[in-house]
Amino acid sequence: MISIIRNATESDLENILKIESESFLPDIQESRQVFFERMQAFSDGFFVLECCGTLAGYFCSELWNSVPEKGDRCFSLNHSAVQNHVNDGFVLYISSIAVSRKFRGSGMGKKLFCESIQRICKAFPRITDILLVVSKEWQNAVRIYKENGFSDYNTIPSFFPGNPMGTDGIIMRKKIRK
């Protein structure tokens, strides 16, 4: 399957939102404005995956100055990348990644995840840590992250809305240099 990973552009937003809506429950889908801000704040950390001429997935991230505590607002859904991102940060925060249903199980998501991180870390060699938040219920995603060197760092109780009590979010961390 022929695929390319490239930087996202504003013209990709509609397809990114389609992937977002088929990947996440309505309560946790992020808005067009949030994705647009992420592109503006850190275009070097926002990628899309194209397979056979179709947008198949996206990966977006930010750079932070520190590893925040679990209650920090920067972990909130729909947070402002403009407020959180710092150009000279040394912590890479993966704010969202999703792959279209059509391409799940093909290895394309893993390719997008690994290659995006590799590109960012090569362009920004000062990065020492990578963070992400994942629902404890998304076992396939947790498995992929663990296979790629991430480990549980902390838990945010009821981070993801949905059931009456919410679902815990696991903050996962990968230390890449001291």
Side-chain angles (χ1 to χ4, degrees), residues 20 23-31 77-78 96 135 138 159-162:
E20 177 81 355
S23 299
F24 301 106
L25 295 171
D27 287 347
I28 62 173
Q29 290 174 19
E30 295 185 294
S31 70
L77 296 171
N78 283 305
S96 191
S135 170
W138 301 342
F159 179 78
F160 293 96

Side-chain angles (χ1 to χ4, degrees), residues 54-72:
T54 301
L55 199 73
Y58 70 83
F59 174 103
C60 49
S61 60
E62 303 161 21
L63 292 176
W64 293 350
N65 275 334
S66 63
V67 175
E69 297 300 317
K70 69 180 178 182
D72 196 302

